[in-house]
């Protein structure tokens, strides 16, 4: 590991010095200050994850300049910031597409046809996992789990759910994105935001769309409804004794 990687970024390093345009640097400074203000004094390094999402909302990935800026603001080394950015799969290390498509091929999704969905979208786009189209429109990721097993097989676009997919429906979805058409997720906002728009949301800046569309779907709520119909309740601590 290089000496540069283990050296804290200079305290006076600013967004402009790192190559950001003055207006972008000013907005980043303001947004980073707001993110850091959410944490108690002395615990500002806890802001690293939302700050990395903020960087992705500007650069489309966790860029070297973004890593340096986060390191400077949190008084960390670039290595410490890079360690977080490489640990979590939502952080991209090269530019993601405007629409980042994740196809789950783990366990239940695979049993229900996730591998066939993956092959279809990969053949349609000519992309492999963690690759981005030449026009920057689409990127693909083979995902280990989309945390939506009750709707397998599942595809996500910029972290929004498209449930119960088939190879044909997934290819149609990507074709619509490639043509610039709005698409509506199974659950979530009325139309899919761009990658950068959703990254800003993940950084903690509301987009005003929280009440749009469907929240939890019928399959997710079925157990709760059955419990209410039969008056089933979780055992209390006293009952466990």
């Amino acid at each position: 590991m290089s000496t540069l990687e283990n050296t804290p970024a200079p305290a006076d390093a600013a967004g402009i010095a790192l190559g950001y345009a003055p207006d972008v640097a000013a907005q980043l400074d303001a947004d980073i200050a707001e993110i850091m203000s959410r944490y108690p004094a002395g615990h500002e390094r806890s802001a690293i994850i939302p700050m990395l999402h903020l960087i992705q909302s500007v650069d489309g990935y966790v860029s070297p300049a973004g890593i340096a800026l986060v390191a400077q603001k949190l008084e960390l080394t670039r290595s410490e910031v890079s360690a977080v950015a490489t640990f979590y799969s939502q952080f991209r290390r090269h530019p993601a597409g405007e629409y980042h498509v994740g196809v789950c091929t783990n366990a239940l999704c695979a049993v229900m046809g996730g591998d066939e969905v993956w092959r279809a979208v990969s053949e349609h786009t000519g992309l492999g996992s963690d690759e981005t189209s030449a026009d920057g429109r689409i990127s693909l990721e083979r995902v280990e789990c989309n945390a939506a097993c009750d709707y397998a097989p599942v595809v996500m676009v910029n972290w929004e759910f498209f449930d119960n997919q088939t190879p044909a429906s997934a290819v149609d979805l990507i074709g619509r994105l490639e043509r610039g058409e709005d698409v509506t997720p199974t659950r979530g906002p009325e139309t899919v935001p761009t990658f950068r728009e959703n990254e800003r949301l993940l950084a903690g800046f509301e987009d005003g769309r929280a009440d749009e569309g469907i929240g939890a779907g019928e399959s997710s709520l079925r157990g709760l409804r059955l419990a209410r119909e039969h008056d089933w309740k979780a055992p209390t601590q006293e009952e466990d004794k």
Side-chain angles (χ1 to χ4, degrees):
M1 199 172 288
S2 69
T3 303
L4 174 62
E5 283 292 297
N6 282 298
T7 304
D12 61 350
I16 295 174
L18 291 167
Y20 290 104
D23 58 332
V24 175
Q27 186 64 57
L28 275 169
D29 283 344
D31 290 341
I32 287 172
E34 180 174 337
I35 291 171
M36 292 176 66
S37 73
R38 302 170 189 162
Y39 299 88
H43 298 274
E44 291 87 354
R45 66 163 49 195
S46 297
I48 188 170
I49 287 179
M51 285 171 66
L52 288 172
H53 281 299
L54 178 68
I55 293 300
Q56 289 201 142
S57 77
V58 174
D59 292 336
Y61 72 117
V62 179
S63 63
I67 287 174
L69 183 60
V70 171
Q72 182 259 312
K73 294 292 185 179
L74 295 179
E75 298 182 358
L76 299 171
T77 66
R78 292 176 174 84
S79 289
E80 288 173 314
V81 178
S82 293
V84 175
T86 54
F87 183 83
Y88 293 100
S89 61
Q90 278 191 322
F91 296 128
R92 320 310 301 165
R93 295 312 302 270
H94 54 264
E98 185 178 1
Y99 294 97
H100 183 67
V101 179
V103 179
C104 183
T105 58
N106 193 8
L108 189 55
C109 277
V111 169
M112 299 298 287
D115 288 323
E116 288 77 13
V117 171
W118 169 258
R119 280 193 288 271
V121 300
S122 182
E123 289 173 5
H124 171 79
T125 59
L127 301 174
S129 188
D130 207 26
E131 294 182 352
T132 303
S133 61
D135 62 3
R137 188 77 173 168
I138 304 290
S139 54
L140 288 188
E141 179 182 6
R142 189 165 183 152
V143 179
E144 282 302 306
C145 185
N146 275 333
C149 299
D150 42 355
Y151 296 100
V154 174
V155 171
M156 295 190 85
V157 179
N158 299 339
W159 326 127
E160 304 293 352
F161 291 104
F162 289 81
D163 303 325
N164 301 312
Q165 291 294 295
T166 66
S169 67
V171 168
D172 177 69
L173 166 64
I174 293 178
R176 294 177 63 193
L177 293 170
E178 290 172 329
R179 294 190 296 272
E181 299 175 15
D182 285 335
V183 296
T184 301
T186 310
R187 293 167 283 142
E190 293 173 1
T191 57
V192 171
T194 66
F195 179 81
R196 297 188 188 207
E197 287 170 342
N198 258 3
E199 283 301 303
R200 184 167 178 81
L201 178 64
L202 290 170
F205 297 92
E206 294 294 336
D207 61 2
R209 307 184 69 182
D211 296 326
E212 288 185 7
I214 299 171
E218 176 59 31
S219 295
S220 300
L221 295 173
R222 191 168 297 153
L224 176 62
R225 288 175 177 156
L226 282 170
R228 286 175 175 170
E229 288 171 9
H230 295 278
D231 198 29
W232 294 336
K233 294 187 170 102
T236 64
Q237 191 171 17
E238 291 297 320
E239 291 171 339
D240 285 340
K241 291 181 180 178

